Amino acid sequence: MISPFPPSSSRPGNGSLTAHLLPHSISALSKITFQYPLKLISPSPSANQKSVLVFLLTYGGGLVGGDQVHLNIDVKPKARLSIVTQGHTKVFKSTSRDIVTRQRLDVSIEMGAALCLLPDPVQPFEGSVYEQVQKFTLADGASVCLLDWVSAGRTARGEDWDFHAWSGRNELWTASAKGEAGRMLVRDNVFLDGNLGSEKERLLKHRMQNMSICGTLILNGPLMESLAVFFISEFSGLPRIGARDFRSQANVDIDSERKISRQESWRRDRLQLEKDAGLLWSAAKVRGCTVIKFGARTVEGARIWIGSMLKEEGSISEHFGEEATLCVR
Amino acid sequence: MTNEADCSQSQAIENEIADLEQRLRAAKARLGHPPSEAITASTPPIELPHHDTLKPTATHFLFLLSDSALPLGSFAFSSGLESYLAHSRPNSSFPSFLTYSLSSYASTTLPFVLAAHRNPEKLAELDDTLDASIMCTVGRRASVAQGRALLSIWERSFSGAVSARPERSEAISQLKEFALLLRNAASTTSGELPAASAHLGPLFGAIAFIVGLERQETAYVFMLSHVKALLSAAVRASMFGPYHAQKVLASVEVQEGIRDVIQREWNTKVEDAGQSVPVMDLWIGRHEMLYSRIFNS
């Protein structure tokens, strides 16, 4: 029998989200649709929210081998959207190497709008095959802060980069305007291919050099300007590797008694944390974007480090509200 | 009549040969060697094989591009080796680093070399895409410095020596246009997006195509040059001496390593080029943080 209803446009794993600006500069959602296994939740809006908050979730708290999630996000002019998760995005084992679990995000950020995407790390389990593609199209004056990080798996169970394959792709494009095609600003591809052979150097865990987590933070746009400057200046202010302390003992004593400012003491604590967590990071300007790469021996160390950086600088909370940094504190 | 004369002449030559062979045997016997069978059989004179006009040029340029004296300035860069040493002391291992570096360089750059060899007319587009894919300042600087040097070598040294065969002329004019674009981009530094950057990978592929190198040769020379640059950096960083460096360069591991990565990346699309050793980005990016440096990367 022919169905009298129009065919459903909703497909498994697909979702769509539109944020727009209400009067009094309040961002709100005008559209939110999703289909199993994707789930989106937005807390009820309050009058003083700085951005509209959406939880990106999956039923059962993870993606089962072969799940395909595709989310389209449209941030309308001047609206602000924050996306967070509730715990690691777990990727379960695939029954075979050909079954790929995919997550795809297509985001369009319009004039003067902003998106803050600070999720928990992806946690691929042993034997999983995962592919993530995130494409951001930015109009004039649009801002984006995006964090993409992946952990070694269930380290408590002894997993250490034991998945089959993990690939992450982040692209930032300028929006096409006046018939001109958009131009690619940045393409950050990371391919972690499981074990390429039996030799030591070919094992993924060996290639990861004792790191339990690695990630990328990409910043672009006017709202991110001060945060970007902060990261670059903190990076160039790092103590030199292999430098020696040439001060005499007397001078060391004098310096240790000197009163240090709050910022200096924060920096000292942060450097100690970087040391303890074995955290390595670098920051670079790439075609107008600021790209921060980091890796650490512990997931918690990386989380505390990035949370501390964002909190110290403060502009993310200022522009998007405290909730935007939920996953990194 | 002439037949008879020929006959007697060849008879004389044969006699002479027999005589010479007799004397050779006698001389060998004096030395204590038994007469060898191979010598007695007359060997035809070896002729220099005849080539068509293109192939000798290609071989010639293959040697030029693989020569360590090619003035690219590669010796100024260690591709993260120096930084790796500072980060991993005292557990540094050159063989491990070499494996990572080969894998990482091949997965990020080799697809661009191969793509430029396949479609040299897309040089400008490939250059722009590669520019968007390099995630650290130090790596970008190294790639651009060597790319510009290669473009200068082409303009000042190679271009006059390459005959413009019709199938190459298109690529040559593309290269000219690209050089012009680069010069204009340098004079008008507008905003953040450069019109052209001149990264080494795509330029190497395009120039190798123009001088007639096979695609496989191009990939091999490109990766081998990378290994040579690493080894030269290791020697200058006093990790080991030049003999050991040659030993590593000649080793089966390096040969297989290069062959493996070429095979892995042979069909990789440029969109799928990316980092396979994330920590490499950190090492290269943190090179600027070293207290003392002898290399530019």
Side-chain angles (χ1 to χ4, degrees):
Chain A
M1 196 187 110
I2 300 161
S3 163
F5 301 106
S8 166
S9 60
S10 165
R11 292 176 45 206
N14 279 24
S16 169
L17 201 59
T18 306
H20 69 148
L21 195 70
L22 292 178
H24 307 293
S25 299
I26 294 171
S27 297
L29 294 172
S30 54
K31 180 182 178 188
I32 177 165
T33 64
F34 52 88
Q35 258 262 29
Y36 179 91
L38 174 70
K39 185 171 179 167
L40 302 168
I41 294 179
S42 183
S44 47
S46 64
N48 55 2
Q49 65 182 15
K50 291 169 176 155
S51 71
V52 53
L53 183 72
V54 172
F55 284 87
L56 176 60
L57 309 171
T58 43
Y59 285 94
L63 293 162
V64 180
D67 274 353
Q68 316 277 321
V69 168
H70 186 177
L71 178 60
N72 277 303
I73 299 177
D74 193 358
V75 191
K76 295 283 178 203
K78 294 192 176 162
R80 285 177 194 175
L81 175 67
S82 315
I83 293 181
V84 293
T85 53
Q86 248 183 358
H88 299 257
T89 303
K90 301 175 194 70
V91 185
F92 292 94
K93 183 178 174 151
S94 283
T95 43
S96 94
R97 179 73 171 72
D98 317 322
I99 298 176
V100 184
T101 309
R102 287 197 180 84
Q103 199 155 203
R104 192 184 161 89
L105 196 61
D106 280 301
V107 183
S108 151
I109 307 173
E110 299 185 16
M111 286 243 281
L115 171 74
C116 178
L117 176 63
L118 291 170
D120 284 291
V122 174
Q123 187 185 34
F125 289 4
E126 181 179 354
S128 62
V129 185
Y130 181 70
E131 197 181 286
Q132 175 177 300
V133 178
Q134 305 190 126
K135 188 177 169 183
F136 302 83
T137 310
L138 285 86
D140 274 350
S143 302
V144 66
C145 163
L146 95 98
L147 174 64
D148 180 18
W149 43 347
V150 55
S151 78
R154 289 170 291 185
T155 41
R157 292 194 48 169
E159 288 183 5
D160 190 8
W161 306 102
D162 286 323
F163 48 80
H164 280 314
W166 185 93
S167 80
R169 168 192 304 247
N170 296 305
E171 290 179 2
L172 266 64
W173 291 73
T174 58
S176 49
K178 298 180 210 102
E180 254 183 68
R183 206 167 158 196
M184 184 161 65
L185 294 171
V186 161
R187 175 185 281 153
D188 168 51
N189 280 355
V190 175
F191 298 111
L192 304 177
D193 219 333
N195 300 328
L196 299 168
S198 50
E199 290 163 57
K200 194 174 72 166
E201 284 84 18
R202 291 165 163 258
L203 297 177
L204 181 58
K205 68 175 131 198
H206 202 265
R207 257 183 287 149
M208 299 308 288
Q209 294 280 306
N210 295 327
M211 292 192 302
S212 282
I213 186 150
C214 74
T216 311
L217 179 74
I218 301 176
L219 307 170
N220 185 286
L223 281 191
M224 300 302 156
E225 196 52 45
S226 69
L227 184 60
V229 168
F230 176 76
F231 269 104
I232 296 276
S233 79
E234 285 299 322
F235 179 64
S236 52
L238 281 179
R240 304 290 114 162
I241 302 160
R244 279 164 58 189
D245 193 350
F246 288 109
R247 293 176 301 173
S248 67
Q249 190 54 47
N251 281 338
V252 173
D253 292 341
I254 294 167
D255 285 351
S256 65
E257 277 165 33
R258 192 170 54 95
K259 251 210 148 23
I260 55 172
S261 70
R262 199 204 58 80
Q263 198 190 14
E264 275 173 314
S265 91
W266 167 80
R267 190 171 293 126
R268 196 189 54 199
D269 293 347
R270 195 203 80 219
L271 289 173
Q272 189 57 44
L273 169 73
E274 287 178 15
K275 214 169 166 183
D276 295 342
L279 189 135
L280 296 180
W281 65 289
S282 75
K285 274 250 173 236
V286 183
R287 294 156 61 102
C289 303
T290 303
V291 180
I292 293 106
K293 292 250 168 203
F294 60 92
R297 268 202 303 274
T298 61
V299 176
E300 234 15 67
R303 190 194 300 274
I304 296 169
W305 176 80
I306 201 151
S308 162
M309 290 296 267
L310 297 182
K311 192 170 172 220
E312 175 66 21
E313 198 275 330
S315 67
I316 291 285
S317 310
E318 189 187 316
H319 298 311
F320 295 91
E322 283 293 329
E323 312 79 47
T325 58
L326 215 60
C327 300
V328 290
R329 61 175 188 215
Chain B
M1 165 80 184
T2 42
N3 232 352
E4 219 173 308
D6 272 349
C7 213
S8 68
Q9 204 179 350
S10 62
Q11 186 65 43
I13 294 172
E14 268 171 30
N15 285 344
E16 200 187 338
I17 290 171
D19 180 39
L20 285 170
E21 277 173 357
Q22 177 67 37
R23 281 164 62 191
L24 179 67
R25 260 197 299 273
K28 286 240 164 127
R30 264 182 287 148
L31 249 179
H33 286 302
S36 91
E37 209 49 46
I39 298 290
T40 53
S42 62
T43 46
I46 299 163
E47 260 187 48
L48 194 63
H50 213 72
H51 281 300
D52 62 30
T53 44
L54 177 70
K55 198 58 192 163
T57 325
T59 312
H60 186 71
F61 277 101
L62 172 64
F63 294 143
L64 292 191
L65 285 173
S66 60
D67 191 356
S68 56
L70 188 73
L72 282 186
S74 320
F75 55 82
F77 306 98
S78 80
S79 305
L81 176 66
E82 192 177 26
S83 180
Y84 164 73
L85 292 177
H87 281 94
S88 61
R89 222 167 255 136
N91 302 315
S92 319
S93 141
F94 185 79
S96 293
F97 182 80
L98 181 63
T99 312
Y100 302 148
S101 184
L102 257 184
S103 170
S104 161
Y105 199 55
S107 65
T108 51
T109 319
L110 195 53
F112 288 92
V113 179
L114 293 169
H117 192 281
R118 283 191 191 105
N119 306 94
E121 71 280 359
K122 286 191 179 161
L123 178 62
E125 188 190 324
L126 288 168
D127 181 66
D128 189 52
T129 311
L130 181 57
D131 193 58
S133 320
I134 298 183
M135 289 293 126
C136 67
T137 323
V138 181
R140 161 173 285 104
R141 208 162 49 208
S143 175
V144 167
Q146 297 176 73
R148 291 194 179 181
L150 184 62
L151 190 59
S152 302
I153 293 170
W154 165 256
E155 288 185 315
R156 296 186 193 177
S157 317
F158 285 7
S159 58
V162 177
S163 54
R165 292 167 68 91
E167 72 268 24
R168 311 263 186 252
S169 62
E170 164 78 21
I172 292 176
S173 64
Q174 279 292 331
L175 201 56
K176 245 184 222 137
E177 242 170 69
F178 181 76
L180 204 66
L181 189 67
L182 184 67
R183 234 162 264 139
N184 290 341
S187 60
T188 59
T189 44
S190 65
E192 288 136 343
L193 286 185
S197 319
H199 286 279
L200 179 62
L203 273 168
F204 193 91
I207 289 174
F209 170 79
I210 291 169
V211 299
L213 262 61
E214 300 286 328
R215 200 167 303 141
Q216 213 153 357
E217 288 172 336
T218 307
Y220 201 91
V221 170
F222 186 74
M223 290 317 295
L224 183 66
S225 305
H226 178 67
V227 177
K228 284 203 274 192
L230 284 183
L231 281 165
S232 130
V235 169
R236 268 167 309 132
S238 326
M239 288 186 83
F240 41 69
Y243 284 106
H244 185 81
Q246 281 302 313
K247 188 178 153 192
V248 175
L249 191 58
S251 68
V252 182
E253 286 78 23
V254 163
Q255 295 176 37
E256 280 178 351
I258 294 177
R259 229 171 286 140
D260 282 355
V261 292
I262 292 175
Q263 199 168 18
R264 196 183 73 196
E265 306 302 338
W266 190 253
N267 287 318
T268 305
K269 286 187 249 135
V270 289
E271 303 86 85
D272 295 330
Q275 185 55 266
S276 55
V277 186
V279 72
M280 192 59 77
D281 274 339
L282 295 175
W283 288 330
I284 296 179
R286 289 168 66 86
H287 185 265
E288 287 180 316
M289 296 295 111
L290 300 188
Y291 181 71
S292 54
R293 283 173 285 189
I294 50 176
F295 298 103
N296 284 337
S297 86

Short mmCIF file of all heavy atoms in Angstrom, two decimals, chain A residues 216-237:
data_model
loop_
_atom_site.label_atom_id
_atom_site.label_comp_id
_atom_site.label_asym_id
_atom_site.label_seq_id
_atom_site.Cartn_x
_atom_site.Cartn_y
_atom_site.Cartn_z
N THR A 216 44.04 18.95 19.09
CA THR A 216 44.26 20.20 18.36
C THR A 216 43.19 21.19 18.77
O THR A 216 42.02 20.83 18.88
CB THR A 216 44.11 19.96 16.84
OG1 THR A 216 44.89 18.84 16.47
CG2 THR A 216 44.58 21.17 16.04
N LEU A 217 43.59 22.41 18.99
CA LEU A 217 42.64 23.49 19.25
C LEU A 217 42.84 24.51 18.14
O LEU A 217 43.96 24.93 17.87
CB LEU A 217 42.94 24.11 20.62
CG LEU A 217 42.07 25.29 21.06
CD1 LEU A 217 40.69 24.80 21.46
CD2 LEU A 217 42.70 26.02 22.24
N ILE A 218 41.75 24.84 17.45
CA ILE A 218 41.86 25.81 16.36
C ILE A 218 41.01 27.02 16.68
O ILE A 218 39.83 26.88 17.05
CB ILE A 218 41.44 25.17 15.01
CG1 ILE A 218 42.31 23.95 14.70
CG2 ILE A 218 41.57 26.18 13.87
CD1 ILE A 218 41.93 23.21 13.45
N LEU A 219 41.57 28.19 16.55
CA LEU A 219 40.86 29.43 16.85
C LEU A 219 40.86 30.32 15.62
O LEU A 219 41.87 30.43 14.92
CB LEU A 219 41.57 30.18 17.98
CG LEU A 219 41.84 29.40 19.27
CD1 LEU A 219 42.76 30.20 20.17
CD2 LEU A 219 40.54 29.08 19.98
N ASN A 220 39.72 30.93 15.37
CA ASN A 220 39.67 31.89 14.28
C ASN A 220 38.57 32.91 14.53
O ASN A 220 37.55 32.60 15.14
CB ASN A 220 39.42 31.15 12.95
CG ASN A 220 39.49 32.08 11.76
OD1 ASN A 220 38.59 32.87 11.52
ND2 ASN A 220 40.58 32.02 11.03
N GLY A 221 38.77 34.10 14.06
CA GLY A 221 37.73 35.12 14.12
C GLY A 221 37.95 36.15 15.21
O GLY A 221 38.75 35.96 16.12
N PRO A 222 37.21 37.25 15.10
CA PRO A 222 37.42 38.39 16.03
C PRO A 222 37.20 38.05 17.50
O PRO A 222 37.94 38.53 18.36
CB PRO A 222 36.39 39.42 15.55
CG PRO A 222 35.48 38.74 14.63
CD PRO A 222 36.22 37.57 14.06
N LEU A 223 36.20 37.18 17.82
CA LEU A 223 35.96 36.87 19.23
C LEU A 223 37.09 36.06 19.84
O LEU A 223 37.26 36.03 21.06
CB LEU A 223 34.65 36.09 19.39
CG LEU A 223 33.34 36.85 19.34
CD1 LEU A 223 32.21 35.95 19.79
CD2 LEU A 223 33.38 38.10 20.20
N MET A 224 37.87 35.40 18.99
CA MET A 224 38.94 34.53 19.50
C MET A 224 40.29 35.24 19.52
O MET A 224 41.29 34.65 19.91
CB MET A 224 39.05 33.26 18.64
CG MET A 224 37.81 32.44 18.61
SD MET A 224 37.35 31.96 20.28
CE MET A 224 35.60 31.69 20.06
N GLU A 225 40.29 36.47 19.04
CA GLU A 225 41.54 37.18 18.87
C GLU A 225 42.38 37.21 20.14
O GLU A 225 43.57 36.85 20.15
CB GLU A 225 41.23 38.62 18.40
CG GLU A 225 42.40 39.37 17.81
CD GLU A 225 43.12 38.60 16.70
OE1 GLU A 225 42.41 38.05 15.83
OE2 GLU A 225 44.35 38.55 16.73
N SER A 226 41.75 37.59 21.27
CA SER A 226 42.54 37.75 22.49
C SER A 226 43.04 36.39 23.01
O SER A 226 44.14 36.28 23.52
CB SER A 226 41.73 38.48 23.56
OG SER A 226 40.69 37.66 24.01
N LEU A 227 42.21 35.35 22.84
CA LEU A 227 42.64 34.01 23.27
C LEU A 227 43.82 33.54 22.43
O LEU A 227 44.78 32.96 22.95
CB LEU A 227 41.46 33.03 23.16
CG LEU A 227 41.71 31.62 23.66
CD1 LEU A 227 42.08 31.61 25.13
CD2 LEU A 227 40.51 30.72 23.42
N ALA A 228 43.74 33.81 21.13
CA ALA A 228 44.81 33.41 20.22
C ALA A 228 46.12 34.11 20.59
O ALA A 228 47.18 33.47 20.67
CB ALA A 228 44.43 33.72 18.78
N VAL A 229 46.03 35.39 20.86
CA VAL A 229 47.22 36.15 21.24
C VAL A 229 47.80 35.59 22.54
O VAL A 229 49.01 35.45 22.69
CB VAL A 229 46.85 37.66 21.39
CG1 VAL A 229 47.99 38.42 22.07
CG2 VAL A 229 46.53 38.25 20.04
N PHE A 230 46.89 35.24 23.45
CA PHE A 230 47.31 34.68 24.74
C PHE A 230 48.12 33.39 24.54
O PHE A 230 49.20 33.23 25.09
CB PHE A 230 46.08 34.43 25.60
CG PHE A 230 46.35 33.78 26.92
CD1 PHE A 230 46.89 34.50 27.97
CD2 PHE A 230 46.05 32.44 27.12
CE1 PHE A 230 47.14 33.91 29.19
CE2 PHE A 230 46.29 31.83 28.35
CZ PHE A 230 46.83 32.56 29.38
N PHE A 231 47.57 32.47 23.73
CA PHE A 231 48.27 31.20 23.49
C PHE A 231 49.63 31.44 22.84
O PHE A 231 50.63 30.83 23.24
CB PHE A 231 47.42 30.27 22.60
CG PHE A 231 46.53 29.35 23.39
CD1 PHE A 231 45.17 29.60 23.48
CD2 PHE A 231 47.05 28.24 24.04
CE1 PHE A 231 44.33 28.75 24.21
CE2 PHE A 231 46.23 27.39 24.76
CZ PHE A 231 44.87 27.64 24.85
N ILE A 232 49.66 32.31 21.85
CA ILE A 232 50.93 32.56 21.15
C ILE A 232 51.96 33.16 22.11
O ILE A 232 53.12 32.74 22.14
CB ILE A 232 50.71 33.50 19.94
CG1 ILE A 232 49.80 32.85 18.91
CG2 ILE A 232 52.04 33.94 19.33
CD1 ILE A 232 50.46 31.92 17.93
N SER A 233 51.50 34.10 22.96
CA SER A 233 52.48 34.73 23.83
C SER A 233 52.93 33.79 24.94
O SER A 233 54.09 33.78 25.33
CB SER A 233 51.95 36.06 24.39
OG SER A 233 51.09 35.79 25.44
N GLU A 234 52.02 32.94 25.44
CA GLU A 234 52.43 31.95 26.44
C GLU A 234 53.41 30.94 25.83
O GLU A 234 54.34 30.48 26.49
CB GLU A 234 51.22 31.20 27.02
CG GLU A 234 50.40 32.00 28.01
CD GLU A 234 51.19 32.43 29.24
OE1 GLU A 234 52.02 31.65 29.73
OE2 GLU A 234 50.97 33.58 29.70
N PHE A 235 53.16 30.62 24.55
CA PHE A 235 54.05 29.66 23.90
C PHE A 235 55.45 30.25 23.72
O PHE A 235 56.44 29.60 24.04
CB PHE A 235 53.48 29.23 22.54
CG PHE A 235 54.36 28.25 21.80
CD1 PHE A 235 54.59 26.98 22.33
CD2 PHE A 235 54.95 28.59 20.60
CE1 PHE A 235 55.40 26.07 21.66
CE2 PHE A 235 55.76 27.68 19.93
CZ PHE A 235 55.99 26.42 20.47
N SER A 236 55.49 31.49 23.26
CA SER A 236 56.82 32.06 23.04
C SER A 236 57.50 32.38 24.37
O SER A 236 58.71 32.55 24.42
CB SER A 236 56.75 33.28 22.13
OG SER A 236 55.81 34.17 22.63
N GLY A 237 56.72 32.42 25.47
CA GLY A 237 57.31 32.67 26.77
C GLY A 237 57.73 31.42 27.51
O GLY A 237 58.18 31.50 28.66
#
